[in-house]
Amino acid sequence: MLIETETTPNPSTLKFLPGRIVMEAGTRDFATPEEAEASPLATALFDLGDVSGVFFGRDFISVTIAPGAAWHEVKPDVLAILMDHFTAQMPLFRTGGTAGFSVPAEEESFSDDPADAEIVAQIKELIDTRVRPAVANDGGDIVYRGFDKGKVFLRMQGACSGCPSSTATLKNGIEQLLRYYVPEVTEVRAI
């Protein structure tokens, strides 16, 4: 088995491609060891000590290392854990886990005004068809969280979370795209 790696715009994050489907549907972001308890693979990666984030995409795993850690020291251990996991065909999640959720329920969310249903549908379609595929190429994901009085609220995950260029992506890319196609959008914010 060969696991390819790719750099991401976030220097703390590498994207690992095992050459097979990781998540059949959705994504899953683990920002803490406690969140990672739902997955034996995420737990093993956090147990390395230098890992500060794990993200499962459709056909990749993004791993973020803590400040002060060096990829040349951590990468062989990450590859070994991934290789062992996939060659043994171990489950991605523990039985009864929250595998289907891309955003934990306790996070801040906004109730969309039913009067804005058409606008929200346009925003979600643009995010799903134009934004998410591009962001997935960089090892992350962006999830719609709400629309309120012209403002679109998004949650950045994986390599996008904490990336130095995420603000530029949000303002110069996503905001401009949404404002162009949906004139009711005045601003995009990350939450």
Side-chain angles (χ1 to χ4, degrees), residues 10 22 27 49 58 93 117 133 156 158 165:
N10 184 345
V22 175
T27 60
R58 177 164 170 71
F93 294 96
M156 302 180 97
S165 61

Side-chain angles (χ1 to χ4, degrees), residues 118-128 144 146-147 151-152 154 178 182 185:
E118 190 175 312
I119 295 167
V120 169
Q122 288 177 317
I123 292 168
K124 286 181 177 180
E125 181 179 349
L126 285 167
I127 290 169
D128 287 343
Y144 172 85
F147 176 75
K151 294 181 186 84
V152 177
L154 303 173
L178 292 178
V182 186
V185 172

Side-chain angles (χ1 to χ4, degrees), residues 2-189:
L2 174 67
I3 298 176
E4 294 181 43
T5 60
E6 293 180 0
T7 59
T8 70
N10 184 345
S12 299
T13 304
L14 280 181
K15 182 177 173 183
F16 295 86
L17 299 123
R20 59 184 66 180
I21 298 298
V22 175
M23 293 271 299
E24 287 292 334
T27 60
R28 184 63 200 262
D29 192 30
F30 302 97
T32 67
E34 293 76 25
E35 290 176 8
E37 290 175 3
S39 168
L41 177 57
T43 298
L45 291 167
F46 271 99
D47 285 348
L48 291 173
D50 289 325
V51 172
S52 63
V54 175
F55 179 80
F56 297 154
R58 177 164 170 71
D59 61 353
F60 67 90
I61 297 107
S62 291
V63 178
T64 303
I65 56 173
W71 268 117
H72 70 276
E73 295 172 358
V74 180
K75 185 177 174 182
D77 294 332
V78 170
L79 284 167
I81 288 170
L82 294 174
M83 183 76 71
D84 290 347
H85 178 86
F86 287 108
T87 56
Q89 298 180 355
M90 295 169 47
L92 196 57
F93 294 96
R94 299 187 199 290
T95 305
T98 54
F101 299 130
S102 59
V103 178
E106 69 272 5
E107 283 192 15
E108 183 178 2
S109 186
F110 299 89
S111 296
D112 292 325
D113 185 337
D116 294 332
E118 190 175 312
I119 295 167
V120 169
Q122 288 177 317
I123 292 168
K124 286 181 177 180
E125 181 179 349
L126 285 167
I127 290 169
D128 287 343
T129 60
R130 299 269 185 109
V131 177
R132 292 181 83 197
V135 172
N137 284 338
D138 287 338
D141 196 11
I142 293 185
V143 180
Y144 172 85
R145 299 302 290 148
F147 176 75
D148 184 40
K149 299 175 187 154
K151 294 181 186 84
V152 177
F153 297 91
L154 303 173
R155 169 139 161 66
M156 302 180 97
Q157 298 179 320
C160 297
S161 180
C163 176
S165 61
S166 65
T167 302
T169 299
L170 203 63
K171 293 296 179 183
N172 298 333
I174 300 167
E175 184 174 281
Q176 285 183 0
L177 174 82
L178 292 178
R179 289 176 73 180
Y180 179 80
Y181 287 104
V182 186
E184 294 84 356
V185 172
T186 59
E187 183 180 359
V188 175
R189 290 187 186 174

